[in-house]
Amino acid sequence: MRIYSLFGLTLSLLSLSSATNVVHYPAKLTNLNNLTFVLNGTGAPGIFNSSITPDSEYGIYNWCNMPHVRTREYQTPSSDYTLKYIEVIQRHHKRTPYAPNTFFKEDITWDCTGEGPVYYGKGTVGVTRDPTVVQWSGYTNPENPFTNSVGPGFVGSNCAFPQITAGGINDSYTHGADLRSVYAQRLNLSTTLDTNTFKLRVTSNPITSQVSGGLLHGLFPDSSDVAVLIQADAFDSLSPSYSCPVADSIFTAYTTGSTNWTEHLVDGAELYEELDAVSGIAENDNAGWHTSFDHYYDNLSAKQCDSKPLPCSVNDTSLCISQPLADTVFRLGNYEYSYYYRDAFNSTLFSALSYGAWVLELVGHLKEQIAGTSEVKYFHNVAHDDSLGPLLGIMQISEMVWPGTGSEIVYELYEKSSSNSTSTSSNFFLRVLWGGQPMQTSLPLGTNSSGLLDMIPVEDFFAYVNNTIGTGPELFAACQM
């Protein structure tokens, strides 16, 4: 383990008597973060072309639809423990690519007829209670002289880039139904959502609300009108979008400012040549296509998850991106996420600063349950890959991946029967599930400090958070130092 230093100084979140030190416990070394294998190996690091994972393989990495809690694999704890509360945070489900990640002109179309995002306002009285549903459908007009200045992308498409696809909505529904199958009886959830016992939170990115519609239909099949929680972008902890200049500086220092990061970009120069020959992206591009493999990863994976072919050049249809080349991009994407949040020298500090606010909210929810001051039994958050990424960094997961669509972390709070408790602390225990199973971390927590977050005393988790993130005022001050 290490206490990191930056600019020659020991890293502490606040130079006060109550200062907290960020201790990094390295991730496991696997093919995912082995650059030699990433560049020279074969195969994709999981499933990239279907939302369906065979039951016999459920739990493996599926970028299109990550494993989550469901009845078939769920491990019920001893009857000594009673489930009191869960908090779920998940990434949205599969979508169209982001507009900046599309080629100037794509060789295929992408049709979203009848699948567009829904936007409209409503009120509480009279006609405002039941307005007409308004669904967006993208279009272009040749009379607009600026239309082609940004490229047609998918020519003539009526999609939003991004938007959750029909397949993503279906996956969202299944996700909600699977969660219901496990937790409805354990938490005494009705088929109708009770706002006193259940909360759902989204970000300002509309795709999280699009997922919520499908998810809630599976979770609460008799509810059709639900209010969800959202924080303002200026301080949203879920996205996250709150200002933390120190975190930004640390991230820049170990990515674009470090040869540890640029090494894989230099070594991948020939890959970029092959990809650029098909996409038409210029070698001297300044839109981020060559500062990471993120753009190509999003473009190719979104297409394959939606059963679309890998792209060919619009200028030479015989020149196409092969499956082995796409698989290499997928390996590189996972390598990059492992570096961002687990392998880089200061990644744990960055995660603590950039996502600490959400973790402090989680701790607050858990403490309310222990104190008996909240009726909420279930809190669900729909977020993004760059939400789960730093959260997995804070949790110091032993094997880091790029959180695929539908990725899920569940915090389960249990109370142990006092007659069977031997603990000198409270009778509350925490189990953290990743992909539906207890999370394996590099932390010195759990039985024999194994790092397995399976029924650990909740006070141990609180102590770790306090040592890593500190209090709210300490975190705020550390972000501005």
Short mmCIF file of all heavy atoms in Angstrom, two decimals, residues 47-96:
data_model
loop_
_atom_site.label_atom_id
_atom_site.label_comp_id
_atom_site.label_asym_id
_atom_site.label_seq_id
_atom_site.Cartn_x
_atom_site.Cartn_y
_atom_site.Cartn_z
N ILE A 47 -18.50 -9.92 -23.89
CA ILE A 47 -19.52 -9.88 -24.94
C ILE A 47 -19.75 -8.44 -25.38
O ILE A 47 -19.95 -7.56 -24.54
CB ILE A 47 -20.84 -10.50 -24.44
CG1 ILE A 47 -20.63 -11.98 -24.09
CG2 ILE A 47 -21.95 -10.35 -25.48
CD1 ILE A 47 -21.82 -12.62 -23.40
N PHE A 48 -19.76 -8.21 -26.69
CA PHE A 48 -19.95 -6.86 -27.22
C PHE A 48 -21.02 -6.80 -28.31
O PHE A 48 -21.20 -5.76 -28.93
CB PHE A 48 -18.64 -6.29 -27.78
CG PHE A 48 -17.69 -5.79 -26.72
CD1 PHE A 48 -16.93 -6.68 -25.98
CD2 PHE A 48 -17.56 -4.44 -26.44
CE1 PHE A 48 -16.04 -6.24 -25.00
CE2 PHE A 48 -16.69 -3.98 -25.47
CZ PHE A 48 -15.93 -4.88 -24.74
N ASN A 49 -21.71 -7.91 -28.55
CA ASN A 49 -22.64 -7.93 -29.68
C ASN A 49 -24.04 -8.40 -29.31
O ASN A 49 -24.85 -8.67 -30.19
CB ASN A 49 -22.08 -8.80 -30.80
CG ASN A 49 -21.85 -10.24 -30.36
OD1 ASN A 49 -22.14 -10.60 -29.22
ND2 ASN A 49 -21.31 -11.05 -31.26
N SER A 50 -24.35 -8.47 -28.02
CA SER A 50 -25.68 -8.95 -27.62
C SER A 50 -25.95 -8.59 -26.17
O SER A 50 -25.04 -8.58 -25.34
CB SER A 50 -25.77 -10.47 -27.79
OG SER A 50 -26.98 -10.97 -27.25
N SER A 51 -27.21 -8.33 -25.86
CA SER A 51 -27.60 -8.10 -24.47
C SER A 51 -27.77 -9.41 -23.71
O SER A 51 -27.92 -9.40 -22.49
CB SER A 51 -28.93 -7.33 -24.42
OG SER A 51 -28.76 -5.98 -24.75
N ILE A 52 -27.76 -10.50 -24.43
CA ILE A 52 -28.04 -11.80 -23.81
C ILE A 52 -26.75 -12.50 -23.40
O ILE A 52 -25.85 -12.70 -24.22
CB ILE A 52 -28.83 -12.70 -24.77
CG1 ILE A 52 -30.18 -12.05 -25.11
CG2 ILE A 52 -29.05 -14.09 -24.16
CD1 ILE A 52 -30.96 -12.77 -26.18
N THR A 53 -26.66 -12.84 -22.13
CA THR A 53 -25.58 -13.68 -21.62
C THR A 53 -26.19 -15.02 -21.23
O THR A 53 -27.15 -15.06 -20.46
CB THR A 53 -24.93 -13.05 -20.37
OG1 THR A 53 -24.43 -11.75 -20.69
CG2 THR A 53 -23.78 -13.91 -19.87
N PRO A 54 -25.66 -16.12 -21.77
CA PRO A 54 -26.22 -17.43 -21.39
C PRO A 54 -26.18 -17.63 -19.88
O PRO A 54 -25.25 -17.19 -19.20
CB PRO A 54 -25.28 -18.42 -22.10
CG PRO A 54 -24.69 -17.64 -23.24
CD PRO A 54 -24.57 -16.24 -22.74
N ASP A 55 -27.21 -18.28 -19.34
CA ASP A 55 -27.28 -18.50 -17.90
C ASP A 55 -26.02 -19.17 -17.37
O ASP A 55 -25.57 -18.86 -16.26
CB ASP A 55 -28.50 -19.37 -17.55
CG ASP A 55 -29.80 -18.58 -17.60
OD1 ASP A 55 -29.75 -17.34 -17.62
OD2 ASP A 55 -30.87 -19.22 -17.63
N SER A 56 -25.46 -20.08 -18.14
CA SER A 56 -24.28 -20.81 -17.69
C SER A 56 -23.05 -19.93 -17.58
O SER A 56 -22.08 -20.28 -16.91
CB SER A 56 -23.98 -21.98 -18.64
OG SER A 56 -23.72 -21.50 -19.96
N GLU A 57 -23.10 -18.74 -18.21
CA GLU A 57 -21.97 -17.82 -18.20
C GLU A 57 -22.30 -16.52 -17.49
O GLU A 57 -21.48 -15.60 -17.46
CB GLU A 57 -21.50 -17.52 -19.62
CG GLU A 57 -21.05 -18.74 -20.41
CD GLU A 57 -20.64 -18.37 -21.84
OE1 GLU A 57 -20.23 -17.23 -22.06
OE2 GLU A 57 -20.76 -19.24 -22.73
N TYR A 58 -23.50 -16.42 -16.93
CA TYR A 58 -23.93 -15.14 -16.35
C TYR A 58 -22.95 -14.70 -15.26
O TYR A 58 -22.57 -15.49 -14.39
CB TYR A 58 -25.34 -15.24 -15.76
CG TYR A 58 -25.98 -13.89 -15.58
CD1 TYR A 58 -26.54 -13.23 -16.67
CD2 TYR A 58 -26.00 -13.26 -14.34
CE1 TYR A 58 -27.12 -11.97 -16.52
CE2 TYR A 58 -26.58 -12.01 -14.19
CZ TYR A 58 -27.13 -11.36 -15.28
OH TYR A 58 -27.69 -10.12 -15.13
N GLY A 59 -22.57 -13.43 -15.33
CA GLY A 59 -21.55 -12.91 -14.43
C GLY A 59 -20.32 -12.46 -15.18
O GLY A 59 -19.53 -11.67 -14.67
N ILE A 60 -20.15 -12.95 -16.44
CA ILE A 60 -19.02 -12.49 -17.23
C ILE A 60 -19.30 -11.09 -17.74
O ILE A 60 -20.44 -10.62 -17.75
CB ILE A 60 -18.71 -13.45 -18.40
CG1 ILE A 60 -19.85 -13.41 -19.44
CG2 ILE A 60 -18.47 -14.86 -17.91
CD1 ILE A 60 -19.51 -14.14 -20.73
N TYR A 61 -18.26 -10.43 -18.20
CA TYR A 61 -18.37 -9.07 -18.71
C TYR A 61 -19.20 -9.05 -19.99
O TYR A 61 -18.89 -9.74 -20.96
CB TYR A 61 -16.97 -8.52 -18.98
CG TYR A 61 -16.92 -7.07 -19.39
CD1 TYR A 61 -16.84 -6.07 -18.43
CD2 TYR A 61 -16.89 -6.69 -20.73
CE1 TYR A 61 -16.75 -4.73 -18.79
CE2 TYR A 61 -16.80 -5.37 -21.11
CZ TYR A 61 -16.74 -4.38 -20.13
OH TYR A 61 -16.65 -3.07 -20.51
N ASN A 62 -20.27 -8.27 -19.99
CA ASN A 62 -21.08 -8.06 -21.18
C ASN A 62 -21.29 -6.57 -21.32
O ASN A 62 -22.12 -5.97 -20.62
CB ASN A 62 -22.42 -8.79 -21.08
CG ASN A 62 -23.25 -8.66 -22.36
OD1 ASN A 62 -23.07 -7.72 -23.15
ND2 ASN A 62 -24.15 -9.60 -22.60
N TRP A 63 -20.53 -5.95 -22.22
CA TRP A 63 -20.59 -4.51 -22.40
C TRP A 63 -22.00 -4.04 -22.72
O TRP A 63 -22.42 -2.96 -22.29
CB TRP A 63 -19.63 -4.07 -23.51
CG TRP A 63 -19.82 -2.65 -23.93
CD1 TRP A 63 -20.51 -2.18 -25.01
CD2 TRP A 63 -19.33 -1.49 -23.25
NE1 TRP A 63 -20.48 -0.80 -25.06
CE2 TRP A 63 -19.76 -0.35 -23.98
CE3 TRP A 63 -18.57 -1.29 -22.10
CZ2 TRP A 63 -19.45 0.94 -23.60
CZ3 TRP A 63 -18.27 0.01 -21.71
CH2 TRP A 63 -18.71 1.11 -22.46
N CYS A 64 -22.75 -4.82 -23.46
CA CYS A 64 -24.09 -4.41 -23.91
C CYS A 64 -25.13 -4.48 -22.80
O CYS A 64 -26.15 -3.78 -22.87
CB CYS A 64 -24.55 -5.29 -25.07
SG CYS A 64 -23.42 -5.35 -26.48
N ASN A 65 -24.90 -5.33 -21.80
CA ASN A 65 -25.89 -5.52 -20.74
C ASN A 65 -25.19 -6.25 -19.59
O ASN A 65 -25.19 -7.47 -19.53
CB ASN A 65 -27.07 -6.32 -21.25
CG ASN A 65 -28.23 -6.39 -20.27
OD1 ASN A 65 -28.33 -5.60 -19.34
ND2 ASN A 65 -29.11 -7.36 -20.48
N MET A 66 -24.62 -5.48 -18.68
CA MET A 66 -23.79 -6.05 -17.63
C MET A 66 -24.61 -6.89 -16.64
O MET A 66 -25.80 -6.65 -16.45
CB MET A 66 -23.06 -4.94 -16.88
CG MET A 66 -21.99 -4.25 -17.70
SD MET A 66 -20.52 -5.26 -17.98
CE MET A 66 -19.65 -5.01 -16.43
N PRO A 67 -23.97 -7.87 -16.01
CA PRO A 67 -24.69 -8.69 -15.03
C PRO A 67 -25.16 -7.86 -13.84
O PRO A 67 -24.49 -6.91 -13.43
CB PRO A 67 -23.66 -9.74 -14.61
CG PRO A 67 -22.33 -9.13 -14.93
CD PRO A 67 -22.57 -8.29 -16.15
N HIS A 68 -26.32 -8.23 -13.31
CA HIS A 68 -26.89 -7.50 -12.18
C HIS A 68 -27.58 -8.50 -11.24
O HIS A 68 -27.64 -9.70 -11.52
CB HIS A 68 -27.88 -6.44 -12.66
CG HIS A 68 -28.98 -6.99 -13.54
ND1 HIS A 68 -29.03 -6.79 -14.90
CD2 HIS A 68 -30.07 -7.75 -13.24
CE1 HIS A 68 -30.10 -7.39 -15.40
NE2 HIS A 68 -30.74 -7.98 -14.40
N VAL A 69 -28.07 -7.99 -10.14
CA VAL A 69 -28.78 -8.84 -9.19
C VAL A 69 -30.01 -9.46 -9.85
O VAL A 69 -30.81 -8.76 -10.48
CB VAL A 69 -29.22 -8.01 -7.96
CG1 VAL A 69 -30.24 -8.78 -7.13
CG2 VAL A 69 -28.02 -7.64 -7.10
N ARG A 70 -30.13 -10.77 -9.72
CA ARG A 70 -31.34 -11.46 -10.15
C ARG A 70 -31.47 -12.75 -9.34
O ARG A 70 -30.50 -13.24 -8.76
CB ARG A 70 -31.35 -11.74 -11.66
CG ARG A 70 -30.25 -12.64 -12.15
CD ARG A 70 -30.35 -12.85 -13.66
NE ARG A 70 -29.57 -14.01 -14.08
CZ ARG A 70 -29.60 -14.53 -15.29
NH1 ARG A 70 -30.35 -13.97 -16.24
NH2 ARG A 70 -28.88 -15.60 -15.59
N THR A 71 -32.68 -13.29 -9.32
CA THR A 71 -32.99 -14.41 -8.42
C THR A 71 -32.09 -15.62 -8.63
O THR A 71 -31.65 -16.26 -7.67
CB THR A 71 -34.45 -14.84 -8.60
OG1 THR A 71 -35.30 -13.72 -8.28
CG2 THR A 71 -34.79 -16.00 -7.68
N ARG A 72 -31.78 -15.95 -9.86
CA ARG A 72 -31.07 -17.18 -10.16
C ARG A 72 -29.72 -17.26 -9.46
O ARG A 72 -29.30 -18.33 -9.02
CB ARG A 72 -30.89 -17.32 -11.67
CG ARG A 72 -30.37 -18.68 -12.12
CD ARG A 72 -30.32 -18.76 -13.65
NE ARG A 72 -30.00 -20.12 -14.09
CZ ARG A 72 -28.77 -20.60 -14.21
NH1 ARG A 72 -27.74 -19.83 -13.90
NH2 ARG A 72 -28.57 -21.83 -14.63
N GLU A 73 -29.01 -16.13 -9.36
CA GLU A 73 -27.66 -16.15 -8.79
C GLU A 73 -27.59 -15.55 -7.39
O GLU A 73 -26.53 -15.59 -6.75
CB GLU A 73 -26.68 -15.37 -9.69
CG GLU A 73 -26.44 -15.98 -11.06
CD GLU A 73 -27.54 -15.66 -12.06
OE1 GLU A 73 -28.29 -14.67 -11.82
OE2 GLU A 73 -27.65 -16.38 -13.06
N TYR A 74 -28.67 -14.98 -6.91
CA TYR A 74 -28.62 -14.23 -5.65
C TYR A 74 -28.32 -15.14 -4.46
O TYR A 74 -28.90 -16.22 -4.32
CB TYR A 74 -29.93 -13.50 -5.40
CG TYR A 74 -29.90 -12.55 -4.23
CD1 TYR A 74 -29.26 -11.33 -4.33
CD2 TYR A 74 -30.51 -12.89 -3.03
CE1 TYR A 74 -29.23 -10.45 -3.25
CE2 TYR A 74 -30.47 -12.02 -1.95
CZ TYR A 74 -29.83 -10.80 -2.07
OH TYR A 74 -29.79 -9.94 -0.99
N GLN A 75 -27.39 -14.71 -3.63
CA GLN A 75 -27.00 -15.46 -2.43
C GLN A 75 -27.69 -14.84 -1.21
O GLN A 75 -27.37 -13.71 -0.82
CB GLN A 75 -25.48 -15.42 -2.25
CG GLN A 75 -24.69 -15.98 -3.43
CD GLN A 75 -23.20 -15.78 -3.27
OE1 GLN A 75 -22.69 -15.66 -2.16
NE2 GLN A 75 -22.49 -15.74 -4.39
N THR A 76 -28.62 -15.57 -0.63
CA THR A 76 -29.33 -15.09 0.54
C THR A 76 -28.50 -15.33 1.79
O THR A 76 -28.06 -16.45 2.04
CB THR A 76 -30.68 -15.81 0.70
OG1 THR A 76 -31.47 -15.60 -0.49
CG2 THR A 76 -31.44 -15.29 1.91
N PRO A 77 -28.26 -14.28 2.57
CA PRO A 77 -27.47 -14.44 3.80
C PRO A 77 -28.18 -15.31 4.83
O PRO A 77 -29.36 -15.66 4.68
CB PRO A 77 -27.31 -13.01 4.31
CG PRO A 77 -27.62 -12.14 3.14
CD PRO A 77 -28.63 -12.89 2.34
N SER A 78 -27.46 -15.62 5.89
CA SER A 78 -28.02 -16.39 7.01
C SER A 78 -29.27 -15.71 7.55
O SER A 78 -29.43 -14.48 7.49
CB SER A 78 -26.97 -16.49 8.11
OG SER A 78 -27.56 -16.77 9.36
N SER A 79 -30.18 -16.50 8.08
CA SER A 79 -31.42 -15.98 8.65
C SER A 79 -31.17 -15.11 9.88
O SER A 79 -32.09 -14.47 10.39
CB SER A 79 -32.36 -17.13 9.01
OG SER A 79 -31.73 -18.00 9.94
N ASP A 80 -29.92 -15.08 10.36
CA ASP A 80 -29.56 -14.18 11.46
C ASP A 80 -29.62 -12.72 11.03
O ASP A 80 -29.67 -11.82 11.88
CB ASP A 80 -28.15 -14.48 11.97
CG ASP A 80 -28.04 -15.83 12.65
OD1 ASP A 80 -29.09 -16.36 13.05
OD2 ASP A 80 -26.91 -16.33 12.78
N TYR A 81 -29.59 -12.48 9.70
CA TYR A 81 -29.52 -11.11 9.18
C TYR A 81 -30.85 -10.72 8.53
O TYR A 81 -31.44 -11.49 7.78
CB TYR A 81 -28.41 -10.99 8.14
CG TYR A 81 -27.02 -11.24 8.68
CD1 TYR A 81 -26.47 -12.52 8.66
CD2 TYR A 81 -26.26 -10.21 9.21
CE1 TYR A 81 -25.19 -12.76 9.14
CE2 TYR A 81 -24.98 -10.42 9.69
CZ TYR A 81 -24.46 -11.70 9.66
OH TYR A 81 -23.19 -11.94 10.15
N THR A 82 -31.27 -9.49 8.80
CA THR A 82 -32.48 -8.94 8.20
C THR A 82 -32.10 -7.75 7.33
O THR A 82 -31.41 -6.82 7.79
CB THR A 82 -33.47 -8.47 9.28
OG1 THR A 82 -33.82 -9.58 10.11
CG2 THR A 82 -34.73 -7.89 8.64
N LEU A 83 -32.53 -7.78 6.08
CA LEU A 83 -32.24 -6.68 5.16
C LEU A 83 -33.06 -5.46 5.55
O LEU A 83 -34.29 -5.52 5.63
CB LEU A 83 -32.55 -7.09 3.72
CG LEU A 83 -32.22 -6.06 2.64
CD1 LEU A 83 -30.72 -5.78 2.60
CD2 LEU A 83 -32.69 -6.57 1.27
N LYS A 84 -32.39 -4.34 5.78
CA LYS A 84 -33.07 -3.12 6.20
C LYS A 84 -33.16 -2.07 5.09
O LYS A 84 -34.11 -1.28 5.05
CB LYS A 84 -32.33 -2.50 7.40
CG LYS A 84 -32.13 -3.45 8.59
CD LYS A 84 -33.44 -3.93 9.17
CE LYS A 84 -34.16 -2.81 9.91
NZ LYS A 84 -35.40 -3.31 10.58
N TYR A 85 -32.17 -2.06 4.20
CA TYR A 85 -32.09 -0.95 3.23
C TYR A 85 -31.14 -1.36 2.11
O TYR A 85 -30.16 -2.07 2.34
CB TYR A 85 -31.55 0.29 3.94
CG TYR A 85 -31.24 1.48 3.04
CD1 TYR A 85 -32.25 2.32 2.60
CD2 TYR A 85 -29.93 1.76 2.66
CE1 TYR A 85 -31.97 3.41 1.79
CE2 TYR A 85 -29.64 2.85 1.85
CZ TYR A 85 -30.66 3.68 1.42
OH TYR A 85 -30.37 4.76 0.62
N ILE A 86 -31.44 -0.91 0.90
CA ILE A 86 -30.49 -1.06 -0.20
C ILE A 86 -30.35 0.28 -0.92
O ILE A 86 -31.30 1.07 -1.01
CB ILE A 86 -30.90 -2.14 -1.21
CG1 ILE A 86 -32.18 -1.77 -1.95
CG2 ILE A 86 -31.00 -3.50 -0.53
CD1 ILE A 86 -32.49 -2.69 -3.13
N GLU A 87 -29.15 0.52 -1.43
CA GLU A 87 -28.91 1.65 -2.33
C GLU A 87 -28.23 1.09 -3.57
O GLU A 87 -27.19 0.44 -3.49
CB GLU A 87 -28.05 2.74 -1.68
CG GLU A 87 -27.81 3.92 -2.61
CD GLU A 87 -28.07 5.28 -1.97
OE1 GLU A 87 -28.37 5.32 -0.75
OE2 GLU A 87 -27.97 6.30 -2.66
N VAL A 88 -28.86 1.33 -4.70
CA VAL A 88 -28.37 0.85 -5.99
C VAL A 88 -27.88 2.02 -6.81
O VAL A 88 -28.53 3.07 -6.86
CB VAL A 88 -29.49 0.12 -6.76
CG1 VAL A 88 -28.97 -0.38 -8.11
CG2 VAL A 88 -30.06 -1.04 -5.95
N ILE A 89 -26.74 1.85 -7.45
CA ILE A 89 -26.29 2.81 -8.45
C ILE A 89 -25.94 2.02 -9.70
O ILE A 89 -25.23 1.02 -9.63
CB ILE A 89 -25.11 3.67 -7.96
CG1 ILE A 89 -24.67 4.65 -9.07
CG2 ILE A 89 -23.96 2.83 -7.44
CD1 ILE A 89 -23.67 5.69 -8.61
N GLN A 90 -26.49 2.43 -10.81
CA GLN A 90 -26.27 1.71 -12.06
C GLN A 90 -25.93 2.68 -13.17
O GLN A 90 -26.24 3.87 -13.13
CB GLN A 90 -27.51 0.92 -12.46
CG GLN A 90 -28.69 1.80 -12.86
CD GLN A 90 -29.70 1.09 -13.74
OE1 GLN A 90 -30.74 0.69 -13.26
NE2 GLN A 90 -29.40 0.95 -15.03
N ARG A 91 -25.26 2.16 -14.19
CA ARG A 91 -25.08 2.92 -15.41
C ARG A 91 -26.33 2.74 -16.27
O ARG A 91 -27.02 1.72 -16.18
CB ARG A 91 -23.84 2.43 -16.18
CG ARG A 91 -23.51 3.31 -17.39
CD ARG A 91 -22.41 2.73 -18.26
NE ARG A 91 -22.22 3.59 -19.41
CZ ARG A 91 -21.52 3.26 -20.50
NH1 ARG A 91 -20.95 2.07 -20.57
NH2 ARG A 91 -21.39 4.10 -21.51
N HIS A 92 -26.62 3.73 -17.10
CA HIS A 92 -27.74 3.60 -18.05
C HIS A 92 -27.52 2.38 -18.95
O HIS A 92 -26.42 1.84 -19.05
CB HIS A 92 -27.83 4.86 -18.90
CG HIS A 92 -26.57 5.13 -19.69
ND1 HIS A 92 -26.22 4.43 -20.82
CD2 HIS A 92 -25.56 6.01 -19.47
CE1 HIS A 92 -25.07 4.86 -21.28
NE2 HIS A 92 -24.64 5.81 -20.48
N HIS A 93 -28.56 1.99 -19.66
CA HIS A 93 -28.46 0.85 -20.58
C HIS A 93 -28.05 1.33 -21.98
O HIS A 93 -27.78 2.50 -22.19
CB HIS A 93 -29.76 0.05 -20.58
CG HIS A 93 -29.86 -0.86 -19.38
ND1 HIS A 93 -29.25 -2.09 -19.35
CD2 HIS A 93 -30.44 -0.69 -18.16
CE1 HIS A 93 -29.47 -2.67 -18.19
NE2 HIS A 93 -30.19 -1.83 -17.43
N LYS A 94 -27.99 0.39 -22.93
CA LYS A 94 -27.32 0.67 -24.20
C LYS A 94 -28.04 1.75 -25.00
O LYS A 94 -29.26 1.93 -24.90
CB LYS A 94 -27.17 -0.61 -25.02
CG LYS A 94 -28.45 -1.31 -25.45
CD LYS A 94 -28.11 -2.63 -26.13
CE LYS A 94 -29.36 -3.35 -26.61
NZ LYS A 94 -29.04 -4.67 -27.20
N ARG A 95 -27.29 2.44 -25.81
CA ARG A 95 -27.72 3.66 -26.46
C ARG A 95 -27.06 3.82 -27.82
O ARG A 95 -26.16 3.04 -28.19
CB ARG A 95 -27.34 4.87 -25.59
CG ARG A 95 -25.86 4.89 -25.22
CD ARG A 95 -25.40 6.22 -24.70
NE ARG A 95 -24.03 6.20 -24.22
CZ ARG A 95 -22.94 6.13 -24.96
NH1 ARG A 95 -23.05 6.03 -26.27
NH2 ARG A 95 -21.73 6.14 -24.44
N THR A 96 -27.47 4.85 -28.53
CA THR A 96 -26.74 5.29 -29.71
C THR A 96 -25.45 5.97 -29.26
O THR A 96 -25.35 6.40 -28.11
CB THR A 96 -27.57 6.28 -30.54
OG1 THR A 96 -27.87 7.43 -29.72
CG2 THR A 96 -28.88 5.67 -31.01
#
